[in-house]
Amino acid sequence: MKFAIVGTGGVGGYFGGKLAAAGYDVTFIARGAHLKAIQDKGLTVKSINGDFVVSPAKATDSISEVGVVDVVFVCLKAWQVAAVAAELKPLVGADTVVIPLQNGVMATDELRKALGTDHAVRGLCRIFSKKEDDGVINHFGIEPTIIFGEDSNLLTPRILKIKEALEKAGVKVIIPKDIEAEAWKKFLFICSSGLLAVMRSPYGVVREIPQTRQMLYDLFVEIYQVAIAKGVHLNPEIVDKTMAMVDTFDYNTTSSLTRDVMEGKPSEIDYQNGTVVRMGEMLGVAAPVNKFIYDCIIPMELKARGFIEVE
């Protein structure tokens, strides 16, 4: 099978690296100094499960030169997907499957607008990882897992074929009974990143202070209520289960959105807490904690994107 990894950061670099290390034909889409490092020295993956290097590694900054592949993993930031979706057409043949691994719940629909309804399936991943340096990916938490499936939740031949390839590469795969519910479970959790960014603190700090712990709990409740209003089938226990999961994290754990905001970079805030606020307004569900987080981060987001200047 041929794979294209669009976005070779913490997510794409790790999962694409595992596929390439297993002998699959993988092309990494990257840019700048990161691309050059991969081309010159290969892709280095540091992992709590064992380090490895993919060398040589196929990498380019030109999507059009890759050609048609069997599977495209879209591993860009959520806010980049809509802009790049149409550019993926040269990768997509009649049987190509496109799997987004973004945070949020909008990427699949954005891809379908550009590529048609037959190619993109719903997907998400679980991993704590980041680009540590040019050509270097660091996986530092959680068992890396890819979760994906058809809207129908049927085990179609294409889903099973991709599952087999990933498992042969040593990647844990879950094909859930309800992919939409799984996407919202991840979405519910990841929106906590905005609270960490506002507090400029890791999970350990936020969970141990009574006031911020309550805000975290209320944030989860709001997202659960929005999901239910939207018709997503979530178990009420998801809020308490998510809090319990947070309690297992290393004290200094953060997330990519948290780090982006704290480092003054553009973030996924519009696709996380911003999405909760907008959906809540449409569905008549109040989301005051999420709105507070979103409103607090917007000035920093506008500055990071160059829309405002602060001396």
Side-chain angles (χ1 to χ4, degrees), residues 123-171:
L124 60 143
C125 68
R126 296 173 183 160
I127 188 172
F128 282 148
S129 58
K130 63 181 179 180
K131 189 190 89 171
E132 181 178 283
D133 200 353
D134 293 328
V136 181
I137 303 301
N138 186 353
H139 158 231
F140 54 89
I142 299 184
E143 181 179 6
T145 306
I146 290 180
I147 305 167
F148 67 102
E150 308 278 8
D151 284 357
S152 65
N153 296 309
L154 294 176
L155 292 174
T156 59
R158 66 179 185 173
I159 293 296
L160 293 174
K161 186 177 180 180
I162 298 167
K163 178 177 184 289
E164 181 182 11
L166 287 166
E167 289 179 338
K168 283 184 177 179
V171 175

Side-chain angles (χ1 to χ4, degrees), residues 40-188:
D40 292 347
K41 302 177 183 178
L43 179 69
T44 297
V45 178
K46 298 179 180 180
S47 172
I48 56 175
N49 293 337
D51 301 346
F52 62 93
V53 178
V54 177
S55 182
K58 292 172 61 176
T60 180
D61 58 1
S62 175
I63 292 174
S64 61
E65 75 176 30
V66 178
V68 172
V69 299
D70 297 299
V71 182
V72 180
F73 282 111
V74 182
C75 307
L76 302 166
K77 296 290 188 180
W79 55 271
Q80 297 173 312
V81 173
V84 80
E87 298 177 25
L88 303 181
K89 289 181 180 179
L91 300 172
V92 179
D95 299 318
T96 302
V97 181
V98 182
I99 305 176
L101 297 180
Q102 281 68 37
N103 295 322
V105 290
M106 305 297 291
T108 302
D109 294 334
E110 290 176 335
L111 289 167
R112 286 173 177 169
K113 287 179 182 178
L115 304 175
T117 58
D118 296 334
H119 298 289
V121 302
R122 300 198 183 277
L124 60 143
C125 68
R126 296 173 183 160
I127 188 172
F128 282 148
S129 58
K130 63 181 179 180
K131 189 190 89 171
E132 181 178 283
D133 200 353
D134 293 328
V136 181
I137 303 301
N138 186 353
H139 158 231
F140 54 89
I142 299 184
E143 181 179 6
T145 306
I146 290 180
I147 305 167
F148 67 102
E150 308 278 8
D151 284 357
S152 65
N153 296 309
L154 294 176
L155 292 174
T156 59
R158 66 179 185 173
I159 293 296
L160 293 174
K161 186 177 180 180
I162 298 167
K163 178 177 184 289
E164 181 182 11
L166 287 166
E167 289 179 338
K168 283 184 177 179
V171 175
K172 180 179 178 180
V173 178
I174 297 175
I175 310 298
K177 294 181 179 179
D178 187 337
I179 186 60
E180 184 180 33
E182 286 299 320
W184 274 83
K185 288 178 186 177
K186 168 74 179 291
F187 183 58
L188 184 145

Side-chain angles (χ1 to χ4, degrees), residues 217-289:
Y217 188 86
D218 293 343
L219 176 150
F220 293 150
V221 170
E222 290 175 7
I223 299 169
Y224 168 78
Q225 292 171 339
V226 170
I228 294 301
K230 194 176 182 298
V232 181
H233 301 293
L234 286 184
N235 190 309
E237 296 175 355
I238 187 60
V239 171
D240 289 331
K241 286 184 176 180
T242 304
M243 283 296 298
M245 180 177 68
V246 168
D247 286 334
T248 68
F249 293 163
D250 180 85
Y251 189 89
N252 292 310
T253 299
T254 58
S255 72
S256 59
L257 181 145
T258 306
R259 294 189 293 273
D260 286 342
V261 172
M262 292 175 68
E263 293 169 10
K265 299 177 181 177
S267 77
E268 295 180 331
I269 190 63
D270 201 52
Y271 280 81
Q272 295 189 26
N273 306 89
T275 296
V276 177
V277 173
R278 288 190 297 275
M279 285 190 178
E281 290 173 348
M282 288 188 293
L283 296 167
V285 178
V289 175

